[in-house]
């Protein structure tokens, strides 16, 4: 998705112009749209024409319409999005107030106006437009003296850093210069990883090389992580995966990603992390039920007590057409973020998202136990799309 224009006032009213450039962007757009929004886009309209002789014919014309959104229909299999509403601006083909259905198209821009852009919707735009947000996979492809650090998104490969260090050959009776240069090289690669890789987003870090370069680098990396007490590297150690490549050049990435052990590890990495988060919640519910809450009213009380460590919430809830109910979910997300908690918004198109919906779409793992809240669960946590 490309953000072409953004104009949002201090009262959070305003409009954005976006261009979807891959099928997944239709899913993001579906999550941005709400009844009552204004959508301006290019569309096809069937119009009737009358000739001089009185005969009536029809033709299809392309025109740009602005609709007040009434119904939103998303086909998850075909990734198609249709928006029906009434025309807000009269033009030569369509009268004011007439109904029309726009089917949004790839690589055609649209403008979406809202009376209130909340934090969840703005985060969704940032996520859809930032290629690095989609980069579940990172890789460092290396050989002695050369390393390419890349982010792998669903649509492209982004080169984030290139490290080149001259490594002198081993001399008979002395390897000091060779080993010092290698250490400088490994240090530069480590710093590039720390600078460019966001481990909150990246779920798998591939380290590939011919021979034993990758093994020697990983040994150096972990030794330095322990020495420096680098929590980022130590906590994310399970994400590192060693793979063979024929060289340290970027083109070797293709052979790495087609390696069967890699493809099985990377299968839908975002979805896999959601499954793990839900498993953590169920384990907590089983072993420490006072630290696992679900249902909107209970989770809100835990958030008010600053107890929420991780909030699990389905994106389905933000498509609720009742504005006060939707605002309640947004307030909950903002509350948890403001108090240092993690927020995981689950896709309702994944199995884990469907499971979360069975828990009324919202659950939380707590920092500390809270005695069971016996008040009845609020009705508004049940959701109709």
């Amino acid at each position: 998705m490309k953000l072409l224009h953004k104009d949002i006032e201090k009262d959070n009213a305003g409009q954005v112009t976006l261009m979807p450039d891959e099928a997944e962007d239709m899913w993001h757009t579906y999550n941005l749209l709400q009844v009552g929004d204004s959508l301006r886009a290019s569309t096809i309209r069937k119009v009737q024409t009358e000739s001089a002789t009185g005969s009536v014919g029809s033709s299809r014309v392309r025109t740009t319409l602005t609709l007040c959104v009434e119904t939103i229909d998303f086909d998850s299999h075909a990734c198609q999005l249709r928006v029906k509403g009434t025309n807000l601006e009269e033009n030569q083909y369509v009268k004011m107030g007439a109904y029309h259905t726009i089917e949004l198209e790839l690589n055609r821009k649209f403008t979406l106006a809202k009376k209130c852009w909340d934090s969840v919707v703005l985060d969704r735009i940032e996520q859809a437009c930032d290629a690095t947000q989609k980069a579940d996979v990172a890789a460092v492809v290396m050989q002695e003296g050369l390393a390419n650090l890349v982010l792998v998104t669903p649509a492209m490969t982004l080169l984030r850093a290139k490290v080149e260090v001259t490594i002198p050959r081993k001399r008979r009776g002395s390897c000091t210069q060779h080993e010092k240069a290698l250490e400088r090289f490994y240090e530069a690669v480590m710093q590039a990883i720390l600078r460019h890789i966001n481990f909150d987003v990246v779920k798998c870090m591939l380290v590939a090389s011919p021979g034993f370069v990758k093994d020697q680098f990983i040994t150096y990396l972990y030794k330095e992580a322990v020495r420096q007490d680098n929590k980022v590297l130590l906590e994310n150690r399970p994400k590192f995966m060693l793979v063979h490549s024929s060289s340290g050049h970027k083109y070797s990435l293709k052979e790495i990603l087609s390696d069967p052990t890699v493809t099985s590890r990377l299968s839908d990495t975002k979805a896999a992390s959601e499954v793990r988060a839900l498993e953590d919640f169920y384990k907590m519910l089983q072993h420490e039920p006072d630290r696992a809450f679900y249902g909107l009213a209970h989770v809100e009380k835990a958030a008010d007590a600053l107890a929420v460590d991780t909030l699990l919430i389905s994106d389905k809830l933000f498509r609720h057409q009742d504005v006060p109910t939707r605002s309640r979910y947004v307030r909950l997300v903002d509350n948890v973020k403001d108090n240092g908690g993690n927020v995981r918004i689950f896709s309702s198109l994944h199995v884990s998202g469907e499971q979360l919906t069975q828990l009324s779409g919202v659950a939380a793992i707590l920092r500390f136990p809270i005695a069971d809240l016996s008040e009845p669960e609020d009705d508004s946590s049940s959701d109709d799309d």
Side-chain angles (χ1 to χ4, degrees):
M1 186 95 84
K2 291 189 181 77
L3 178 62
L4 304 179
H5 179 72
K6 183 177 176 183
D7 180 18
I8 295 174
E9 304 293 334
K10 285 182 181 173
D11 62 355
N12 290 331
Q15 62 182 36
V16 297
T17 302
L18 298 161
M19 185 187 287
D21 49 19
E22 58 186 43
E24 190 185 338
D25 292 336
M26 292 303 176
W27 171 245
H28 288 302
T29 307
Y30 175 53
N31 284 285
L32 295 176
L33 286 163
Q34 285 172 271
V35 170
D37 289 348
S38 156
L39 176 71
R40 181 174 177 81
S42 173
T43 184
I44 302 290
R45 178 79 173 182
K46 191 176 180 181
V47 294
Q48 288 196 328
T49 52
E50 189 174 332
S51 68
T53 58
S55 61
V56 177
S58 67
S59 62
R60 290 161 65 81
V61 295
R62 182 168 285 280
T63 184
T64 300
L65 295 180
T66 305
L67 301 185
C68 177
V69 176
E70 287 194 10
T71 57
I72 308 150
D73 177 37
F74 179 71
D75 179 345
S76 59
H77 298 293
C79 274
Q80 288 180 326
L81 182 59
R82 295 182 188 86
V83 182
K84 183 182 178 185
T86 50
N87 186 29
L88 292 173
E89 295 176 10
E90 189 164 348
N91 72 8
Q92 64 184 105
Y93 304 113
V94 188
K95 292 178 181 173
M96 281 271 287
Y99 275 95
H100 183 77
T101 299
I102 291 177
E103 183 173 321
L104 291 176
E105 301 169 68
L106 289 179
N107 302 312
R108 280 195 185 274
K109 66 180 183 179
F110 65 86
T111 299
L112 179 62
K114 288 177 179 284
K115 288 173 183 161
C116 179
W117 289 88
D118 59 53
S119 62
V120 171
V121 177
L122 292 171
D123 280 352
R124 171 71 76 163
I125 290 178
E126 196 174 312
Q127 181 191 340
C129 295
D130 182 1
T132 61
Q133 289 290 319
K134 302 174 192 173
D136 270 350
V137 185
V140 56
V141 191
M142 62 200 307
Q143 62 192 45
E144 275 197 4
L146 171 68
N148 285 284
L149 180 65
V150 296
L151 291 174
V152 184
T153 77
M156 66 186 92
T157 300
L158 301 167
L159 180 64
R160 276 284 168 254
K162 187 173 186 176
V163 178
E164 289 182 284
V165 173
T166 305
I167 311 285
R169 290 183 178 182
K170 290 181 183 176
R171 296 183 185 276
R172 188 177 295 176
S174 172
C175 301
T176 315
Q177 292 296 97
H178 176 80
E179 284 170 1
K180 278 186 178 174
L182 267 182
E183 199 162 298
R184 276 202 316 276
F185 171 58
Y186 293 151
E187 171 66 20
V189 176
M190 183 177 85
Q191 291 305 325
I193 289 172
L194 290 169
R195 193 162 51 249
H196 295 288
I197 303 301
N198 178 359
F199 281 102
D200 292 336
V201 177
V202 169
K203 302 299 180 287
C204 183
M205 178 79 210
L206 302 172
V207 181
S209 79
F212 295 104
V213 178
K214 58 186 181 297
D215 307 85
Q216 290 163 358
F217 169 67
I218 283 295
T219 303
Y220 173 86
L221 185 79
Y222 293 152
K223 189 180 78 179
E224 283 297 300
V226 171
R227 188 179 69 79
Q228 298 174 16
D229 191 24
N230 189 308
K231 288 186 170 60
V232 173
L233 291 175
L234 293 172
E235 286 171 8
N236 290 286
R237 186 169 179 164
K239 294 181 181 178
F240 283 80
M241 182 180 182
L242 300 185
V243 200
H244 173 77
S245 69
S246 55
S247 80
H249 293 281
K250 191 178 157 188
Y251 62 75
S252 294
L253 196 64
K254 190 170 182 291
E255 72 185 71
I256 298 161
L257 294 176
S258 58
D259 184 312
T261 55
V262 175
T263 49
S264 63
R265 170 81 180 262
L266 302 186
S267 58
D268 206 354
T269 43
K270 185 175 186 295
S273 72
E274 289 176 0
V275 170
R276 282 195 297 277
L278 202 56
E279 278 174 4
D280 290 344
F281 170 79
Y282 279 121
K283 278 179 194 165
M284 191 68 80
L285 190 62
Q286 189 177 358
H287 300 296
E288 289 187 71
D290 286 352
R291 284 185 58 199
F293 280 18
Y294 61 91
L296 180 59
H298 284 186
V299 173
E300 277 180 328
K301 285 189 172 72
D304 290 341
L306 312 185
V308 176
D309 180 54
T310 305
L311 176 69
L312 286 59
I313 189 163
S314 169
D315 60 10
K316 184 180 180 184
L317 300 180
F318 301 112
R319 296 196 296 273
H320 205 296
Q321 297 307 337
D322 178 50
V323 174
T325 304
R326 188 185 184 284
S327 301
R328 206 171 151 188
Y329 294 124
V330 173
R331 271 198 310 275
L332 175 62
V333 167
D334 290 343
N335 187 359
V336 171
K337 281 184 180 174
D338 290 346
N339 292 305
N342 299 309
V343 176
R344 301 197 76 109
I345 297 180
F346 280 54
S347 168
S348 51
L349 286 187
H350 287 318
V351 179
S352 53
E354 290 171 10
Q355 275 184 291
L356 187 60
T357 302
Q358 291 167 9
L359 297 172
S360 76
V362 59
I365 298 170
L366 308 190
R367 294 188 175 106
F368 49 83
I370 295 184
D372 186 37
L373 299 169
S374 54
E375 292 89 346
E377 176 57 36
D378 199 302
D379 288 342
S380 63
S381 64
S382 62
D383 171 57
D384 297 315
D385 221 6

